[in-house]
Amino acid sequence: MLPRSVYSPAMQMNARPALLQRIGRLLRAKEFLVFYAIGLGLLDFAAPPATGWLFAHRSLATLLGTNNSVIGDAVAGHAVTVIAVALTYLALSAFFTAGYLRSLLGRLHWGPRDARQFSRLLAFVTLSAALSWGLRAAASVASHHLGDTTDLVVVFALQTIVNVPLLYAGYAIVTSNVGLVRAIVASLRTFAANAFISLLVMFTLFEVLLLLWQFLPGDSGSAAALLPTVLIHVLVWGSVSFVADVVLLSVYIDSIERGTIPPK
């Protein structure tokens, strides 16, 4: 691998077409993993209503219209069942996220490489969930003072800022076999070297997420009537997340190969 200083401007100009080719090859080779991403999306979608129902026993329609989070329900509920469901969700999310990312890099996997990788992904998933809880709480406070229409806007703005350090961290943990702190450092370096495409992917994800949540029904309707809308939400979000993962993982590997960031 050439050191960063050896890359000429001409070589750097050719890096973008090479990156696009890498993204295209990975999409074609791993397109079946979109179902893996949809499964992860279903897990992420189902966890908050599950803990919310255990905490407050509200209907599915009401829970879909609220801004609850898994960790928030576990902290507020103080119930063994809510805490158990929250911990199970975090463990399953870490386990299958590791398998999913490993599958994007090679053959199909259903879990992490070893206990160390699992613990690192668990720390990453827990940190992400805790930040999500904090953002939702901040949005609720803001909407209380500024009006309900600002709720999603506040969440969007805060997530754009807060998630930057974590954008590539999960990829770094699996690809470079590093701990959470070093993964965050690698994520920041990767973001700094690829700010345009990173922001483009982030804004696309958040815009799709906002659009999907706006189409979810309010606090009316039976659970059976809500299932088609929920199914569409999960399918669309999982598919978009898969494409985003392919792009960002390709960017991360490309940054390592170009010497922008160290491999470990």
Side-chain angles (χ1 to χ4, degrees):
M1 183 183 295
L2 293 173
R4 186 177 181 182
S5 59
V6 176
Y7 283 92
S8 65
M11 294 175 67
Q12 293 178 5
M13 290 177 63
N14 291 330
R16 297 301 94 182
L19 175 59
L20 294 177
Q21 293 174 6
R22 178 192 294 276
I23 293 171
R25 289 195 300 268
L26 189 56
L27 276 174
R28 289 192 295 271
K30 300 294 182 177
E31 59 185 8
F32 67 95
L33 290 178
V34 67
F35 299 106
Y36 208 143
I38 290 172
L40 286 172
L42 177 60
L43 178 63
D44 290 336
F45 184 90
T51 57
W53 183 84
L54 290 171
F55 174 50
H57 294 285
R58 291 174 292 182
S59 67
L60 176 61
T62 302
L63 288 169
L64 292 179
T66 61
N67 215 14
N68 73 299
S69 66
V70 171
I71 291 186
D73 291 335
V75 172
H78 300 292
V80 175
T81 53
V82 179
I83 295 174
V85 170
L87 292 177
T88 301
Y89 159 71
L90 293 174
L92 289 176
S93 181
F95 186 89
F96 287 115
T97 296
Y100 168 64
L101 294 180
R102 292 181 67 205
S103 300
L104 283 173
L105 294 169
R107 63 184 179 86
L108 181 64
H109 296 279
W110 295 109
R113 184 178 62 184
D114 50 32
R116 174 178 292 182
Q117 188 175 83
F118 172 73
S119 64
R120 289 170 172 174
L121 259 297
L122 182 59
F124 168 71
V125 169
T126 303
L127 176 60
S128 300
L131 289 174
S132 176
W133 172 38
L135 293 175
R136 291 171 188 271
S140 297
V141 173
S143 64
H144 176 74
H145 292 285
L146 302 176
D148 293 336
T149 57
T150 65
D151 195 357
L152 290 176
V153 177
V154 171
V155 172
F156 173 80
L158 290 176
Q159 283 184 329
T160 304
I161 298 172
V162 173
N163 281 294
V164 166
L166 301 178
L167 189 60
Y168 296 94
Y171 311 132
I173 291 173
V174 175
T175 303
S176 301
N177 193 28
V178 296
L180 181 59
V181 175
R182 293 180 64 182
I184 293 175
V185 173
S187 179
L188 288 171
R189 289 178 176 175
T190 307
F191 179 86
N194 306 274
F196 176 77
I197 191 170
S198 301
L199 287 173
L200 181 61
V201 172
M202 286 184 69
F203 279 116
T204 300
L205 285 173
F206 291 140
E207 287 174 0
V208 170
L209 185 59
L210 288 173
L211 182 63
L212 288 174
W213 278 107
Q214 287 175 352
F215 277 98
L216 284 177
D219 54 354
S220 61
S222 64
L226 295 175
L227 287 180
T229 303
V230 170
L231 179 61
I232 293 173
H233 180 108
V234 173
L235 290 174
V236 172
W237 179 246
S239 302
V240 173
S241 298
F242 166 71
V243 175
D245 284 324
V246 168
V247 173
L248 294 177
L249 183 59
S250 298
V251 169
Y252 181 77
I253 296 175
D254 180 73
S255 298
I256 293 176
E257 293 183 350
R258 290 189 293 114
T260 304
I261 59 173
K264 286 189 177 182

